[in-house]
Amino acid sequence: MKMDSWSVKICKALGHPVRYTIVQYLTDGPRCVCELNDDVGFSQSNLSQHLRILKEAGLVRSEKDGLKIFYQLTCPEISALLGSIERVTACCLKELQTND
Amino acid sequence: MKMDSWSVKICKALGHPVRYTIVQYLTDGPRCVCELNDDVGFSQSNLSQHLRILKEAGLVRSEKDGLKIFYQLTCPEISALLGSIERVTACCLKELQTND
DNA sequence: AAACTATATCATAATATAATTATATTATTA
DNA sequence: TAATAATATAATTATATTATGATATAGTTT
């Protein structure tokens, strides 16, 4: 698959409120699904499916520890990406306020 | 609207191959729709709708010049964002190759 | 002003994504 | 080994997104 379209896949993976929130949580370090479940506040099954999508995009990795499964970000560049997104958000919001 | 969910909106806007490509083109400077139409190679109507979505997200701005309409990125941070996405893409792809 | 060009909008059909419910898997503990 | 806990998967329904084709608008040229 072309690098370009993988980038699109990553944007799509982040383009959902639950998944975006999960990634934000994971910038603080690994979390087990049960913790995420509490934090994100969604049905277990639904959360699991969102985690799969993040995993398929390569954004997160999981690791077993007994009964629990811990998820973490696959690389530090992902935290940097969130920062970059927020800077763009700030300027886009400004743009919309001034012009319309 | 919360800043967080606007970030999600921006990710969603970028999470489509045509829109991602448009934004990439615009990093080189303003383009008129007709040029984009040639570059992106999609139906005029469809392109126009994608441009609207990018505009609603605040990522692009349009300007009339006679019959033509030129689109441009609203801020330089957007080019930086593309760079950041590509760095993440590179490491996500690496992750998937090594682990599975 | 009629014809034309560039772009946008609208309605709709096709397709993809999301949430829900039920069930399965895997590890742990009694 | 039966019961339980944590997580994943599957099937289904609900909802959102996308592409298409037709039509509208706005500026330009003849």
Side-chain angles (χ1 to χ4, degrees):
Chain A
M1 192 184 237
K2 235 178 43 202
M3 163 116 174
D4 236 41
S5 51
W6 201 272
S7 294
V8 171
K9 193 182 189 104
I10 283 173
C11 291
K12 211 181 288 189
L14 291 173
H16 184 287
V18 168
R19 294 194 295 264
Y20 192 88
T21 305
I22 292 172
V23 172
Q24 279 184 320
Y25 272 109
L26 294 181
T27 57
D28 290 340
R31 290 284 163 90
C32 87
V33 181
C34 51
E35 286 177 273
L36 289 173
N37 223 327
D38 293 345
D39 291 341
V40 175
F42 242 68
S43 86
Q44 181 272 318
S45 155
N46 197 226
L47 176 61
S48 183
Q49 286 174 88
H50 284 305
L51 285 169
R52 182 168 44 72
I53 289 169
L54 289 173
K55 200 174 180 178
E56 280 171 4
L59 287 164
V60 305
R61 175 178 32 226
S62 66
E63 207 175 318
K64 260 190 188 164
D65 178 20
L67 256 186
K68 298 188 172 177
I69 298 190
F70 285 80
Y71 278 81
Q72 60 182 311
L73 299 184
T74 52
C75 64
E77 283 86 349
I78 298 170
S79 305
L81 174 57
L82 291 190
S84 186
I85 291 170
E86 268 155 48
R87 277 188 293 281
V88 167
T89 298
C91 78
C92 288
L93 284 176
K94 200 179 297 174
E95 165 78 13
L96 292 172
Q97 281 159 12
T98 54
N99 280 30
D100 293 277
Chain B
M1 192 184 237
K2 236 178 43 201
M3 165 117 174
D4 237 42
S5 50
W6 201 272
S7 294
V8 171
K9 193 181 191 110
I10 283 173
C11 292
K12 209 181 291 188
L14 291 173
H16 185 286
V18 168
R19 294 193 295 264
Y20 192 88
T21 305
I22 291 172
V23 172
Q24 278 185 319
Y25 272 110
L26 294 181
T27 57
D28 291 338
R31 291 283 163 89
C32 88
V33 181
C34 51
E35 286 176 274
L36 288 172
N37 223 328
D38 293 346
D39 292 340
V40 174
F42 242 67
S43 83
Q44 181 272 318
S45 153
N46 198 226
L47 175 61
S48 182
Q49 286 174 91
H50 285 304
L51 285 169
R52 182 169 44 73
I53 289 169
L54 289 173
K55 199 174 181 178
E56 280 171 3
L59 287 164
V60 305
R61 173 179 33 225
S62 66
E63 206 175 319
K64 261 190 190 164
D65 178 20
L67 256 187
K68 298 190 173 178
I69 297 188
F70 285 81
Y71 278 80
Q72 60 181 313
L73 300 183
T74 51
C75 63
E77 284 85 348
I78 297 169
S79 305
L81 174 57
L82 290 189
S84 186
I85 291 169
E86 267 155 48
R87 278 189 292 281
V88 167
T89 299
C91 80
C92 288
L93 285 175
K94 200 178 297 174
E95 164 79 13
L96 292 173
Q97 281 160 11
T98 56
N99 281 29
D100 291 276

